[in-house]
């Protein structure tokens, strides 16, 4: 077997490799974007290893359709560059996993059993010997560095393999660092948007101003071309659009409340039912059925995100953004930002709704005071009085859930006498032992008001 004419490593070559590795490590530590220097890296590596060809490729595309794309390459003297057919290729099942899970070294690819299924590919590229070192970040395959000789086999020295592995380790670390920097920048941008929203929200004094502030963030800061804001009715059965923007959107929206229990339901009802955002990258092919599909398509929406607005265990509304799916794509980071934005808006919305309800309650309280005085002076019927007190409490506090327990002194029980709203497991005979655990019996037993903000 004729071997590639490459002798043992000289001391000068070993020193040159050590110097390159030190300089490359330093550039990585200094924050140099690794992909920006790949061309020079490939050239230097190819010369230091004395190979015919070196290729640095990275995985691109979705995980389900991974494609290796060449980002930098080196060809030795009198060696033709790789053909365009080798710029990118799919990671098909014929490729042996060992090429991407660990360092793969062979002096003769034509005699390697693992490479039998792709032997023709090597023949067409002229490859005879190779070292393949995977680029991995957090155990995930991200690319590969391949050095090769053409025509004649070559017996690779251990020092050559170790040198290439050391370079790839540094490259993987630099890529990981660059990704972390990019993630931090994205998070900084996201927090900046949310900070601006919080500032605007604090300045808003009404629900209408709050809605307009949220829509402005969606339009100006997040640059979604279309936005909607819907509010759920007090009884939770309908939703009404409180604000929107985008070409033709206002004219296409229904005039008046939309029934959430319609068949098929509006898209907002699907999000409210699960309390999770709904993301549709392609409205035309999404199998989910909803009544507002045609209306969305009519205004050019092809990609859509619907985020429910919830606070205090209640559905308050929904925030919706859309685009044509091309000029403004919906990324996973967008969904996280919208969820954070929805959280701030929900709390602020509940506060504004509560404030507006409180203003109404102040007006009602005067009438309630007069009614209470009249009630106490005109009736001796205990049951009537207690029912009216429950109704007054519900009206005054704006909360559906209210119950009244009376003490049975002989049995030392707090007996549920009457209630308003939904109480799981509460029936007419429901009772609590006065000496048992719980906040309610503690208040009755100790004769003290128990006020707990978060049980």
């Amino acid at each position: 077997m004729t071997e590639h004419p490459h002798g043992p490593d000289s001391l000068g070559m070993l020193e040159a490799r050590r110097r390159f590795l030190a300089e490359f490590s330093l550039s990585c530590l200094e924050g140099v974007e690794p992909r920006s220097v790949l061309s020079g890296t490939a050239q230097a590596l190819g010369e230091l290893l004395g190979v015919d060809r070196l290729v640095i490729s990275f995985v691109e595309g979705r995980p389900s359709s991974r494609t290796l794309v060449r980002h930098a390459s080196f060809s030795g003297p009198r060696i033709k560059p790789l053909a365009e057919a080798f710029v990118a290729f799919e990671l098909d099942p014929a490729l042996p996993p060992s090429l991407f899970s660990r360092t793969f070294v062979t002096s003769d690819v034509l005699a390697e059993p693992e490479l039998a299924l792709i032997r023709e590919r090597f023949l067409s590229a002229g490859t005879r010997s190779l070292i393949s070192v995977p680029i991995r970040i957090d155990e995930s395959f991200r690319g590969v560095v391949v050095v090769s000789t053409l025509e004649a086999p070559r017996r690779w020295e251990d020092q050559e393999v170790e040198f290439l592995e050391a370079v790839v380790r540094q490259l993987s670390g630099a890529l990981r660092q660059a990704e972390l920097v990019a993630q931090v920048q994205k998070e900084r941008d996201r927090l900046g948007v949310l900070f601006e929203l919080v500032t605007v929200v604090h300045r808003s004094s009404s629900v209408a101003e709050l809605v307009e502030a949220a829509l402005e963030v969606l339009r100006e800061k997040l640059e979604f071309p279309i936005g909607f804001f819907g509010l759920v009715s007090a009884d939770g059965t309908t939703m009404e659009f409180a604000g929107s923007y985008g070409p033709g959107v206002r004219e296409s929206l229904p005039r008046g409340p939309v029934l959430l229990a319609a068949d098929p339901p509006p898209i907002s009802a699907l999000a409210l039912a699960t309390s999770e955002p709904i993301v549709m990258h392609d409205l035309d092919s999404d199998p989910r059925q909803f009544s507002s599909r045609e209306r969305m398509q009519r205004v050019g929406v092809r990609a859509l995100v619907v985020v429910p607005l919830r606070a205090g265990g209640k559905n308050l509304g929904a925030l919706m953004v859309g685009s044509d799916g091309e000029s403004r794509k919906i990324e996973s980071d967008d969904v996280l930002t919208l969820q954070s934005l929805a959280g701030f808006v929900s709390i602020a919305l509940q506060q504004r709704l509560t404030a507006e309800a409180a203003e109404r309650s102040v007006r009602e309280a005067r009438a309630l005071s007069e009614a209470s005085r009249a009630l106490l002076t005109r009736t001796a019927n205990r049951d009537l009085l207690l029912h009216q007190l429950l109704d007054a409490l519900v009206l005054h506090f704006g909360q559906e859930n209210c119950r009244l327990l009376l003490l049975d002194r002989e049995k030392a029980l707090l007996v549920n006498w009457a209630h308003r709203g939904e109480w799981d497991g509460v029936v007419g005979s429901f009772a609590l032992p006065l000496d048992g655990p719980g906040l309610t019996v503690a208040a009755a037993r100790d004769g003290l008001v128990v006020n707990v903000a978060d049980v």
Side-chain angles (χ1 to χ4, degrees), residues 1-302:
M1 180 174 70
T2 304
E3 292 200 351
H4 191 276
H6 182 76
D9 292 332
S10 65
L11 290 176
M13 181 62 74
L14 291 174
E15 179 58 33
R17 291 174 187 169
R18 279 195 290 267
R19 187 166 56 251
F20 170 84
L21 190 56
E23 292 174 353
F24 186 64
S25 300
L26 183 61
S27 68
C28 293
L29 290 173
E30 290 176 343
V32 176
E33 215 297 312
R35 299 196 188 214
S36 66
V37 296
L38 282 182
S39 180
T41 301
Q43 177 78 21
L45 278 177
E47 292 174 354
L48 286 170
L49 288 168
V51 295
D52 293 331
R53 186 174 286 150
L54 182 145
V55 177
I56 302 175
S57 302
F58 291 102
V59 174
E60 292 189 357
R62 296 181 179 179
S64 59
S65 59
R66 296 188 304 171
T67 303
L68 265 181
V69 178
R70 186 178 70 198
H71 277 248
S73 61
F74 160 82
S75 295
R78 300 179 301 279
I79 301 296
K80 291 183 179 179
L82 273 172
E84 287 300 312
F86 293 94
V87 169
F89 61 89
E90 295 291 324
L91 294 175
D92 59 60
L95 294 168
S98 53
L99 278 177
F100 311 119
S101 61
R102 59 176 173 79
T103 300
F104 190 93
V105 183
T106 179
S107 58
D108 189 353
V109 297
L110 303 182
E112 197 68 46
E114 283 190 79
L115 305 180
L117 292 176
I118 54 172
R119 187 169 294 158
E120 291 300 321
R121 184 174 295 174
F122 288 116
L123 285 172
S124 61
T127 304
R128 192 63 188 271
S129 303
L130 67 80
I131 306 174
S132 171
V133 182
I135 301 169
R136 302 184 70 83
I137 300 176
D138 296 336
E139 302 304 317
S140 174
F141 175 66
R142 300 296 188 85
V144 64
V145 178
V146 179
V147 298
S148 58
T149 62
L150 310 185
E151 299 179 356
R154 169 170 164 177
R155 182 176 293 111
W156 302 101
E157 301 292 336
D158 291 342
Q159 298 96 322
E160 295 172 326
V161 177
E162 291 168 3
F163 169 66
L164 187 59
E165 287 178 327
V167 172
V168 173
R169 278 196 301 272
Q170 291 293 335
L171 178 59
S172 298
L175 290 169
R176 174 61 175 147
Q177 179 177 303
E179 288 182 1
L180 289 173
V181 170
Q183 289 173 6
V184 169
Q185 184 59 50
K186 280 186 178 181
E187 184 64 13
R188 186 181 293 122
D189 294 342
R190 188 176 74 88
L191 291 175
V193 170
L194 295 177
F195 177 77
E196 290 190 32
L197 172 68
V198 172
T199 303
V200 174
V201 162
H202 278 300
R203 289 202 300 264
S204 63
S205 58
S206 66
V207 172
E209 289 183 6
L210 172 62
V211 170
E212 185 53 42
L215 290 174
E216 181 180 353
V217 170
L218 295 177
R219 180 178 57 243
E220 304 298 333
K221 302 299 180 183
L222 299 181
E223 299 180 342
F224 283 104
I226 293 173
F228 311 84
F229 198 111
L231 293 177
V232 173
S233 60
D235 61 8
T237 60
T238 62
M239 174 178 284
E240 194 158 359
F241 287 97
S244 64
Y245 68 88
V249 170
R250 192 178 300 275
E251 295 76 19
S252 71
L253 293 177
R255 302 184 187 281
V258 175
L259 188 63
L260 293 174
D263 185 21
I267 185 64
S268 53
L270 298 179
L272 291 171
T274 61
S275 301
E276 294 291 338
I278 288 180
V279 183
M280 295 183 174
H281 295 285
D282 185 3
L283 226 66
D284 297 337
S285 61
D286 197 286
R288 283 170 282 197
Q289 297 299 314
F290 57 97
S291 59
S292 42
R293 179 191 295 273
E294 185 179 341
R295 184 166 60 250
M296 298 289 181
Q297 291 171 323
R298 201 162 48 239
V299 295
V301 172
R302 292 295 177 271

